[in-house]
Amino acid sequence: MHFATATATMLMLMMAAGAAWPQAAPPPSSLGAQTPAGQATPQQGEPASSSPPAREENPGLLNEMGKLFEKSLSILPSLKSPSEAVDDFNARAKAAGDAVSRLAKPSSMVAGRTICPVSTNGAPDCKVGADKLCQAKGFKEGKSLNTDSTETCSAKVLIPGRARKPDDCRTDNYVTSALCQ
């Protein structure tokens, strides 16, 4: 409530004081006013010039907004010509066709059970397992789709009364299905 009252009061004061930026120079009065020395008044017998006189720079709000608008238009990228647009469309269509043809290569899902060897960091390498599974089925390479893991223990675990040690069992991972190409 107080903000609205304060805003309205400020606007009235600005209007009463005439505090505003000029938007255009006032039109010259033709009632006995003298013209500046640099400008000549057209005589009645002379035709008026066809081009308007050059405008002076006007520091008004609308002028500043116009400058801002012109600057923002210069930032935008230029439009492509029709032939450039068609060339760009054709290049994108070719790239999309290549992607579809890669997907359309014959591939098959195979099932089996191949162990994933342990890599140097201790994790199972199931890419190698998928490749082996696919090569066994006559393909070149593969990607694992499904894996399984089992715990394999030594016979020492079966001895009654013997405490189980950390190195008695290991976990083996297997590729059970792969997508082959």
Side-chain angles (χ1 to χ4, degrees), residues 102-121:
R102 279 194 309 271
L103 292 174
K105 285 183 181 175
S107 60
S108 296
M109 187 177 94
V110 297
R113 188 169 173 91
T114 304
I115 193 164
C116 299
V118 178
S119 64
T120 56
N121 65 359

Side-chain angles (χ1 to χ4, degrees), residues 3 6 21 23 40 72 76 131 135 166 168 177 181:
F3 178 71
W21 288 349
Q23 294 299 313
S72 67
L76 294 175
D131 288 344
Q135 288 167 0
D168 284 343
S177 62
Q181 291 185 351

Side-chain angles (χ1 to χ4, degrees), residues 26-133:
S29 173
S30 63
L31 299 174
Q34 295 180 352
T35 60
Q39 295 178 350
T41 57
Q43 300 296 329
Q44 288 183 0
E46 296 178 16
S49 63
S50 61
S51 65
R55 277 187 47 189
E56 294 181 16
E57 185 66 26
N58 188 355
L61 178 64
L62 293 177
N63 187 36
E64 295 299 319
M65 289 177 67
K67 288 180 189 177
L68 180 66
F69 183 69
E70 288 174 3
K71 286 180 184 177
S72 67
L73 285 179
S74 67
I75 294 173
L76 294 175
S78 61
L79 296 176
K80 294 181 179 179
S81 69
S83 63
E84 289 174 333
V86 168
D87 291 342
D88 186 41
F89 176 76
N90 288 338
R92 290 176 189 244
K94 182 180 182 319
D98 292 344
V100 169
S101 68
R102 279 194 309 271
L103 292 174
K105 285 183 181 175
S107 60
S108 296
M109 187 177 94
V110 297
R113 188 169 173 91
T114 304
I115 193 164
C116 299
V118 178
S119 64
T120 56
N121 65 359
D125 188 3
C126 289
K127 170 66 174 142
V128 173
D131 288 344
K132 286 182 181 177
L133 179 62

